[in-house]
Amino acid sequence: MWGRTMPRQVLSIMTIFSFNAVLGQVTYSIPEEMSKGSVVGNIGQDLGLGVKRLRSGNARVFTEDNAEYVELNKDRGVLLVKERIDREALCGQTTPCALHLQITLEDPIEFYSVTVEINDINDHSPSFKKEEMRFRISESAVIGAKFVLERAMDLDVGVNGLQSYSLKPTDNFQLKLQDQQDGSKKVEMILQKNLDRETQEHLSLILTAVDGGDPQLSGTMRVEISVLDANDNAPVFVQEVYKITIMENAPKGTVFTTVSAVDADEGSYGKVSYFITNTFDDVHAIFEIDRENGVVSLSGRLDYEKAQQHEIHVQASDDGGLTDSCKIIVEVTDMNDNKPVINIMSKTNNSAPNTVVAMLSVKDPDSENNGQVRCNIENDIPFKIQTTSNGFYTLITDVMLDRERESEYNITVSCSDEGVPSLSSSVTLTLQISDVNDNPPVFERSSYEAYIVENNTPGLSVFTVKARDADWNQNARVSYILEDSSVNGVPVSSYVSVSADSGVVHAVRSFDYEQIKDFHFLVKAQDGGSPPLSSNVSVKILIQDQNDNPPQVLYPVQTGGSMVAEMVPRSADVGYLVTKVVAVDVDSGQNAWLSYKLQKATDRALFEVGLQNGEIRTIRQVTDKDAVKQRLSVIVEDNGQPSRSATVIVNVAVADSFPEVLSEFTDFAHDKEYNDNLTFYLVLALAVVSFLFITCLVVIISVKIYRWRQSRILYHSSLPVIPYYPPRYSDTLGTGTLQHVYNYEVCRTTDSRKSDCKFGRAASQNVLIMDPSSTGTMQRIQSEKNLKQVELEFIPEQCSSSKRG
């Protein structure tokens, strides 16, 4: 429905001048059930108010019943749906349904009235109070006999409300609808064909109620009819309409009327019972009827402010199932039972004379004199109250107020109605005199110093600066600003940020202790006065180191392509210094304290590593049995938490001569390379051999088939056939008796098995040269010179035939 019903634009805008306040009227129209956050209307544009004015005037939405269905977005200047609006819950059957709002602004105070009409959507189906109705109808019932059916209830209004009824099947009965004064329809079932109990003693009908929405919604009720014998007179009410007046404060149990219906039958067929048939209102909760004698009394409380009139539908039914109906109209008389309701719509602390400091809404739901209200100020204070329009009052300063003499006033406003007896209510406003901005913010400390661990998460809260202002309200509202400065040529805003509201200092980036140890900057605290006052404070941030760098080995240098080894003579004594592992750690403190440990070794009984200095020494005498190649793995660890480490491989050669060392380590390198590549080459060779074998097999089979087919064609042919042969053949391996390339001249008869061949000279050739001295195979292809296409010429008339044995 909302997709087809757009909010109507402003219906009317009316401006009425009032004392120091402007009263405007604007109306919007929206459908019910709009989603939260939907736009009702652009109130700023429609009232000629800018977003800046809405913010500075602290614009607010006020409702008389404090039901917050609509809210104001001051940043956009629009009214938004705050809570889901259910038109049926808000207004019931009352139309039109509207929300009455007030928009108030301050300094100066302005007041605008806003009406939001709530349009109905088809969100309720017609429904019956009962799932079925049962009738007992005599077979002697005459054509045209009426039977009142229960009316359906549809909470929607207008076209979306209940529109029509249908009754099926229509063999014996037809439906008749009668318009009532309240806009509803009286539903009657009219007998159009005589009933015959002997033929059919039970009928089952379906009554369907349909609304006028799009799409249409409907509800059904079963009508069960039992056919009886011999009741040919229906009850008849003495009056069709009863009109009653009753006071709204009438107590429960009050009898205010008696209805009566007469049935000409005798016995059980002449006994009449009375029922209230209202379905879609609260009549059953307020009124009750005695089923035997038709006495109508109060079972609940009346409230003139909720309903000024009630309509009671009464049905009379005899034991034969015949019925009649009447209507009781109850007029409720108002009593002065409601006090005036006072609401403070807006308030300001301006101390200038003849200035509106508050606006009040005073309502009394009673009618006529009972709802007429007058207001006055109690006590002797420098204020006066004036009425601006019906139900709205303004509180105005009478003289210039002095905050130093009196900083606060308690103003009591009393309002009373003109009912008898008069009812009254009062409200007390506390008014504080505005302050002047004469105190700058003062920081709690003269300077700040904070620590942060490196590698922090960007956005981390470091600490908080705090300043206080001795002024009041806006003049004491402190904002924090990071002063422009630089750290090592970089703006300080790239390092930290300061929350304007809370003063929390956040780290913008992740700090690295190895790059920056500390830095300074200034934070300014500024109040919200006009003009604003401010003060500065110095802040120092110190970066704390974290163990985020592993040790780095400087010696021995680890290279990927060559082997570096330390030589140890076989005559070396115990404690011989083989080499020294040198490592550094860019961290600081205990995170940079390094220790050295021997992790792995070819012979752990031959070498040791100094824990603190990294020196590798022999721990026993070197012997001839010791292997030439010795491989040591040394781990370097720092003292951080958790500890970080690095590993270095030290190759040691136990030998007295360099050639011995060279041969051993060369073999070692080649063996390693060979082992790494052996598997790869084996797999590759297997794949190539398999591919060549399959290819050769396919080629051989193809050639055999091709030759066989050609021989069959030539053998059975009666005409000379000159087959085509490839122009070039070569013995690529060079192992046969032929040269690499030959031109052939072939002479054949029609019988190719009896032909002589004449061979020509060799043509230019392609050569594949292998260079055994290189690490790979280089192919050089000589250019072809004077390459001629091999032609196979068949000249039967120039060739002599001969038989071959």
Side-chain angles (χ1 to χ4, degrees), residues 82-206:
K82 185 176 182 181
E83 295 293 338
R84 183 181 70 85
I85 302 176
D86 186 353
R87 192 207 64 80
E88 289 73 29
L90 184 64
C91 299
Q93 294 293 311
T94 303
T95 57
C97 180
L99 293 174
H100 298 284
L101 318 172
Q102 287 79 39
I103 304 296
T104 62
L105 294 93
E106 302 173 358
D107 299 327
I109 284 183
E110 295 180 345
F111 165 73
Y112 300 91
S113 293
V114 179
T115 300
V116 180
E117 294 182 359
I118 311 301
N119 295 329
D120 182 59
I121 65 174
N122 192 26
D123 57 344
H124 293 88
S125 302
S127 61
F128 294 88
K129 186 176 181 181
K130 302 176 183 177
E131 293 183 358
E132 67 176 22
M133 286 190 69
R134 294 185 176 273
F135 291 90
R136 302 172 64 200
I137 303 176
S138 173
E139 64 178 348
S140 62
V142 297
I143 301 297
K146 298 183 298 181
F147 304 91
V148 179
L149 299 178
E150 177 182 337
R151 293 184 297 172
M153 174 181 66
D154 193 337
L155 298 180
D156 295 322
V157 297
V159 70
N160 295 326
L162 181 63
Q163 297 296 321
S164 62
Y165 293 85
S166 64
L167 183 66
K168 292 182 181 180
T170 58
D171 296 337
N172 296 91
F173 296 89
Q174 67 178 3
L175 201 63
K176 181 179 180 182
L177 304 178
Q178 292 184 4
D179 294 332
Q180 302 294 303
Q181 292 181 356
D182 60 349
S184 63
K185 295 181 182 296
K186 182 179 179 180
V187 186
E188 294 179 329
M189 183 173 61
I190 308 299
L191 182 65
Q192 62 178 0
K193 180 180 178 182
N194 288 327
L195 300 174
D196 187 356
R197 189 192 64 81
E198 288 72 26
T199 302
Q200 188 176 14
E201 64 179 358
H202 183 80
L203 300 176
S204 182
L205 310 178
I206 299 296

Side-chain angles (χ1 to χ4, degrees), residues 179-287:
D179 294 332
Q180 302 294 303
Q181 292 181 356
D182 60 349
S184 63
K185 295 181 182 296
K186 182 179 179 180
V187 186
E188 294 179 329
M189 183 173 61
I190 308 299
L191 182 65
Q192 62 178 0
K193 180 180 178 182
N194 288 327
L195 300 174
D196 187 356
R197 189 192 64 81
E198 288 72 26
T199 302
Q200 188 176 14
E201 64 179 358
H202 183 80
L203 300 176
S204 182
L205 310 178
I206 299 296
L207 177 63
T208 304
V210 181
D211 65 18
D214 186 16
Q216 282 188 331
L217 301 177
S218 63
T220 60
M221 179 184 67
R222 298 192 310 274
V223 180
E224 304 292 338
I225 301 174
S226 298
V227 182
L228 306 177
D229 283 330
N231 182 28
D232 54 352
N233 289 287
V236 178
F237 276 101
V238 177
Q239 293 180 237
E240 289 188 1
V241 179
Y242 295 80
K243 291 186 177 181
I244 304 297
T245 300
I246 188 171
M247 303 295 292
E248 68 170 325
N249 61 348
K252 292 182 181 180
T254 300
V255 176
F256 55 88
T257 189
T258 300
V259 297
S260 177
V262 177
D263 193 316
D265 293 323
E266 295 181 354
S268 61
Y269 292 135
K271 185 178 180 180
V272 179
S273 300
Y274 303 91
F275 307 92
I276 294 178
T277 61
N278 293 63
T279 57
F280 59 89
D281 51 26
D282 56 353
V283 166
H284 282 281
I286 303 176
F287 305 98

Side-chain angles (χ1 to χ4, degrees), residues 567-588:
M567 288 187 60
V568 176
R570 294 188 180 275
S571 60
D573 296 329
V574 177
Y576 177 82
L577 178 60
V578 178
T579 186
K580 182 176 182 179
V581 177
V582 181
V584 296
D585 194 318
V586 296
D587 292 323
S588 65

Side-chain angles (χ1 to χ4, degrees), residues 23 48 112 169 178-179 188 357 417 440 498 520 524 536 568 594 605 629 636 705 782 793:
L23 181 63
Y112 300 91
Q178 292 184 4
D179 294 332
E188 294 179 329
V357 295
D417 59 29
V498 179
H520 297 77
K524 179 172 72 174
N536 293 339
V568 176
L594 303 180
K629 295 182 292 184
V636 184
I705 294 174
Q782 296 180 351
E793 299 178 356

Side-chain angles (χ1 to χ4, degrees), residues 434-441 468-478 526-533:
S434 301
D435 182 42
V436 176
N437 188 31
D438 55 354
N439 291 285
R468 301 186 181 278
D469 196 309
D471 292 322
W472 181 75
N473 205 357
Q474 184 69 21
N475 296 330
R477 184 174 298 171
V478 179
Q526 179 176 289
D527 63 25
S530 181
L533 301 178

Side-chain angles (χ1 to χ4, degrees), residues 637-651:
E637 295 182 339
D638 59 25
N639 198 36
Q641 292 296 331
S643 176
R644 304 183 70 126
S645 63
T647 304
V648 59
I649 303 299
V650 180
N651 295 305

